[in-house]
Amino acid sequence: ELMLREQLSHVYARLRETLSKREFEVLGLYVDGLSYSSIAERLGITTKAVDNALQRVRRKVSGFDMS
């Protein structure tokens, strides 16, 4: 369990370095299970902005070394 916690901590830190504050915020809400419209309402942005942020996240983390 300690090794998993360390790995997740490393991935979390890498994501914080790689993603913008907004991308990280949108990703967190998305991972928590919120819909695009719920994320948009909570952050005061459009659903298109949510979609764009998640597309940028996908591009940035594709091929991301999770180790």
Side-chain angles (χ1 to χ4, degrees):
E1 184 173 324
L2 179 59
M3 185 157 183
L4 175 60
R5 184 181 311 265
E6 289 172 358
Q7 288 174 328
L8 291 175
S9 177
H10 175 73
V11 170
Y12 180 84
R14 291 275 317 276
L15 285 172
R16 290 288 289 173
E17 293 170 2
T18 303
L19 303 178
S20 71
K21 180 180 176 184
R22 175 65 82 194
E23 291 164 349
F24 193 80
E25 188 174 28
V26 169
L27 177 61
L29 294 172
Y30 182 72
V31 168
D32 284 344
L34 274 68
S35 67
Y36 281 30
S37 58
S38 295
I39 295 169
E41 184 176 326
R42 183 172 292 189
L43 299 179
I45 60 177
T46 65
T47 55
K48 181 64 177 165
V50 172
D51 183 54
N52 289 340
L54 290 173
Q55 285 182 35
R56 287 191 305 274
V57 168
R58 286 183 197 96
R59 278 196 307 272
K60 288 181 177 183
V61 301
S62 67
F64 196 68
D65 180 13
M66 296 295 186
S67 59

